[in-house]
Amino acid sequence: MAGARKRPYRDFHRARPRSPPPPSRSPSGKKRRISLNSRSRSKSPTYPRPHRQANRITSKRELGKPQTFKSYLDIPDLPPKIRALCEIIAKNPSLAVEKVLEDSGIGVRQEDVEEVLKLSYGFPGSAVKFFRWSGHQLNDDHSPYAWNLVVDMLGKHSLFDAMWDAVKSMRKKGLLSLATFASLFSSYVLAGSLKEAIMTFEVMGQYGLPPDVVALNSLISAICRDGRTVDAVDFLGNVKERVRPDPDTYAILLEGWENEGNVTGARQTFAEMVREIGWDPANVPAYGSFLCTLLKGPGGIYEALKCFRTMTDHRCYPGMKFFRHALAECIKHTDPKAANFVWEAMVGRIGCRPDTEMYNSMIALHCYTDRIDVAERLMDEMVCNGAFPDDRTYNILFQFLIQSRKLNEASIVFTEMVKNECVPSLANCKTAARIFIDTGDHHSAMKVWKWMVEYYRSDMDETGNTLIVGLLDLDRLPEAVKYAEDVIERGIRLSSSTLSKLKQSLSKARKLHAYDELSRKWRSPRVP
């Protein structure tokens, strides 16, 4: 069954370090060697291995870039015992670590060893000494995960001889697993040693593990993550007669092409997938990666939708990632027709539930193309699909309703927006207040203004003056005086031209004493 398919080991270590530095060398010019067993000095394990210390082959990544590893310093609430052990490893030379650990009197469990190793990748020599010291307390009974961490740590520092010594010890204890070899693949690929990574795959059988399709996928995944999908495709071509690829194999390759933006490679791999294994509705990641890659090509959204239609004929569909990117392309090119096709396929045919961000994109697109009625309908149906309007949803719709002079609807949306504790933008408020007052709707204008003065504290001068002048033009002198007093008391600057119009209106009404009071307040410094 497709649901029971095994996924490849991407890398058992949770924070994969990147860009290994060139290996450090001892004064004699030889690479530093770390041994897991102080009594063993053999440089060649009994079991087959594909190399002497692997040659460094320059890869696409910049080898001189320093690695970054997760450290105990990055964990604020680390248990005191784990922190103390990590500090011993980080602050003492490797030759002194075991003595300091012994003198500390700290006891450890398997779980403690795992946690310390995960946070000590930057100090492989001292970490290995800790691993050996803790083994005495645990009667040499480390967990498989701890062994895998040691193997991974050594590999990430290109200490390949010591890494294979650890692999030899794990085999003797019967602890080797696919996770171990996934780490070996990753370390060699990161070091630019693709040939050695492939040779490691070839000798897996001699270490008691079959080089099956799951192992194949793990190696291909490591190669693709390094930005070398073309090498992964070449490798697959050489081994697929012995190890038959599965849907995951092609999903990994297509994801690699997607990350590299290689449309030609994606087309070729997709065609091979259909030819070799046919159409598989369960292989959603492969279809999504392929279509997302097509979006980046010269055919863009149109080629992607053409291939999407072919997929749907075989009842195969991509995941939400493609729909999200496809909608972004439709909006980028202001193409409501294509956007509606994508939306209907996603919501109507497949039954996916768009999130708030996707609704916002569609609402914005329909507003830009003067289909505000469609935008309002989309907003109304959001809750039914488990999405909820946010600040951006309301601001998009409010902005275009104001600009389209659909002022009754705009006023309703503003009221609903504030009631639902969403925040109208200052720009929208300023535009709305000005247009409401220009059209004689002083009630809506004042509603917006009252909200503005409660929420915003700056950039209010222009709107305040506009509203007062607008009230004067509407022959609403008492309200104009009232709001002028409020504006002055709030420290909002009343312009001299606004004061002049107030004076003219109050003079006609024979209420110059009211103007004198306003003028006095205007000239007086405001006490905070």
Side-chain angles (χ1 to χ4, degrees):
M1 291 178 62
R5 183 185 304 144
K6 291 184 178 180
R7 301 295 301 179
Y9 283 89
R10 298 294 177 112
D11 195 343
F12 73 90
H13 190 247
R14 292 165 178 75
R16 180 166 65 91
R18 308 292 292 177
S19 305
S24 58
R25 297 180 181 274
S26 64
S28 63
K30 296 181 179 179
K31 283 189 177 181
R32 175 166 57 94
R33 178 180 174 80
I34 297 175
S35 175
L36 290 173
N37 188 336
S38 58
R39 293 171 295 182
S40 173
R41 293 290 181 264
S42 171
K43 292 191 182 256
S44 299
T46 307
Y47 305 103
R49 54 184 185 175
H51 67 298
R52 293 282 294 174
Q53 197 83 343
N55 295 327
R56 300 297 298 274
I57 302 173
T58 303
S59 69
K60 292 182 181 179
R61 80 177 64 254
E62 185 182 351
L63 296 182
K65 186 178 180 180
Q67 294 185 87
T68 55
F69 299 112
K70 191 173 184 179
S71 163
Y72 71 98
L73 297 174
D74 301 323
I75 313 296
D77 299 321
L78 200 62
K81 178 169 68 172
I82 304 300
R83 182 174 297 277
L85 291 169
C86 289
E87 286 180 347
I88 291 173
I89 292 171
K91 295 181 179 180
N92 290 279
S94 61
L95 293 176
V97 164
E98 287 183 274
K99 177 68 166 58
V100 177
L101 288 168
E102 193 65 37
D103 293 343
S104 70
I106 300 175
V108 295
R109 303 168 302 164
Q110 285 187 345
E111 295 81 4
D112 299 331
V113 175
E114 294 169 1
E115 289 301 313
V116 171
L117 289 174
K118 283 191 292 184
L119 299 173
S120 301
Y121 262 56
F123 310 95
S126 296
V128 167
K129 293 293 182 67
F130 162 76
F131 181 77
R132 187 169 60 191
W133 168 82
S134 59
H136 300 320
Q137 292 196 27
L138 299 174
N139 296 319
D140 202 23
D141 186 26
H142 283 296
S143 68
Y145 183 42
W147 275 101
N148 280 334
L149 285 169
V150 169
V151 169
D152 192 60
M153 182 189 307
L154 294 170
K156 294 303 182 287
H157 285 274
S158 298
L159 299 166
F160 295 125
D161 272 340
M163 178 186 77
W164 281 98
D165 284 345
V167 171
K168 177 182 71 170
S169 298
M170 290 182 72
R171 184 185 183 189
K172 288 180 179 179
K173 295 175 177 292
L175 300 177
L176 284 177
S177 66
L178 183 55
T180 312
F181 276 84
S183 170
L184 304 184
F185 300 152
S186 173
S187 295
Y188 276 129
V189 171
L190 284 170
S193 301
L194 178 59
K195 180 179 178 182
E196 282 73 14
I198 294 173
M199 292 174 69
T200 301
F201 173 82
E202 298 291 351
V203 301
M204 285 182 65
Q206 300 176 47
Y207 284 78
L209 293 171
D212 58 13
V213 67
V214 183
L216 170 71
N217 291 345
S218 296
L219 176 52
I220 287 177
S221 178
I223 298 171
C224 290
R225 287 198 308 268
D226 199 51
R228 304 173 64 175
T229 305
V230 64
D231 293 325
V233 170
D234 290 343
F235 168 62
L236 177 61
N238 292 330
V239 300
K240 69 179 182 180
E241 296 301 322
R242 292 184 286 127
V243 184
R244 180 169 173 76
D246 67 2
D248 285 338
T249 311
Y250 291 104
I252 294 166
L253 290 172
L254 288 167
E255 183 182 359
W257 290 130
E258 178 193 357
N259 292 335
E260 296 174 33
N262 190 321
V263 178
T264 301
R267 290 195 192 104
Q268 294 171 349
T269 296
F270 187 81
E272 180 183 330
M273 178 183 76
V274 173
R275 184 173 63 250
E276 293 288 332
I277 63 175
W279 295 92
D280 179 5
N283 201 14
V284 173
Y287 302 122
S289 290
F290 177 56
L291 292 177
C292 285
T293 308
L294 293 182
L295 288 175
K296 303 174 184 178
I301 185 69
Y302 302 108
E303 183 181 2
L305 292 183
K306 179 180 178 182
C307 290
F308 173 77
R309 292 186 181 94
T310 302
M311 288 179 187
T312 58
D313 291 341
H314 295 87
R315 297 184 179 180
C316 295
Y317 304 99
M320 284 295 288
K321 179 181 177 182
F322 164 70
F323 291 116
R324 194 180 305 278
H325 288 313
L327 282 179
E329 283 296 305
C330 295
I331 289 159
K332 177 181 176 182
H333 297 290
T334 318
D335 189 341
K337 182 178 180 181
N340 286 333
F341 175 83
V342 172
W343 190 266
E344 178 57 31
M346 174 178 60
V347 179
R349 189 181 310 178
I350 303 176
C352 295
R353 297 174 64 145
D355 59 18
T356 298
E357 181 182 353
M358 298 174 78
Y359 267 107
N360 288 347
S361 297
M362 284 294 286
I363 289 170
L365 176 63
H366 286 298
C367 285
Y368 277 117
T369 53
D370 199 26
R371 301 180 67 192
I372 296 179
D373 55 331
V374 179
E376 289 180 297
R377 189 179 73 244
L378 284 170
M379 185 172 175
D380 290 339
E381 74 179 34
M382 287 179 71
V383 178
C384 298
N385 282 323
F388 296 90
D390 60 7
D391 291 357
R392 183 165 180 261
T393 317
Y394 279 109
N395 273 299
I396 291 169
L397 190 57
F398 184 51
Q399 174 187 343
F400 284 97
L401 287 171
I402 288 292
Q403 291 177 353
S404 302
R405 296 300 195 273
K406 295 185 176 182
L407 303 183
N408 288 334
E409 293 94 328
S411 182
I412 293 170
V413 167
F414 179 85
T415 301
E416 179 183 331
M417 183 180 193
V418 174
K419 182 179 179 181
N420 289 334
E421 299 182 351
C422 291
V423 181
S425 70
L426 180 59
N428 276 348
C429 287
K430 291 167 69 174
T431 302
R434 175 177 54 77
I435 292 178
F436 279 136
I437 202 70
D438 287 348
T439 56
D441 186 358
H442 68 280
H443 291 294
S444 295
M446 291 304 108
K447 180 171 62 176
V448 174
W449 173 254
K450 288 175 182 178
W451 192 92
M452 288 176 67
V453 295
E454 291 299 322
Y455 198 86
Y456 293 108
R457 294 291 180 268
S458 61
D459 198 16
M460 307 280 281
D461 299 352
E462 179 184 353
T463 304
N465 283 274
T466 299
L467 290 177
I468 294 168
V469 172
L471 288 170
L472 292 173
D473 292 341
L474 292 171
D475 200 22
R476 307 187 72 87
L477 180 58
E479 290 174 83
V481 172
K482 174 185 172 183
Y483 282 104
E485 290 175 342
D486 183 65
V487 163
I488 293 171
E489 289 175 0
R490 291 180 182 276
I492 299 170
R493 183 177 174 275
L494 208 59
S495 69
S496 56
S497 63
T498 301
L499 278 171
S500 177
K501 289 185 178 181
L502 279 167
K503 183 177 181 179
Q504 292 174 10
S505 298
L506 288 168
S507 177
K508 288 180 181 180
R510 297 183 179 181
K511 294 182 179 180
L512 277 176
H513 63 279
Y515 172 76
D516 292 338
E517 182 64 18
L518 274 177
S519 181
R520 183 186 63 79
K521 291 180 179 179
W522 183 68
R523 290 187 175 87
S524 300
R526 178 173 174 264
V527 179

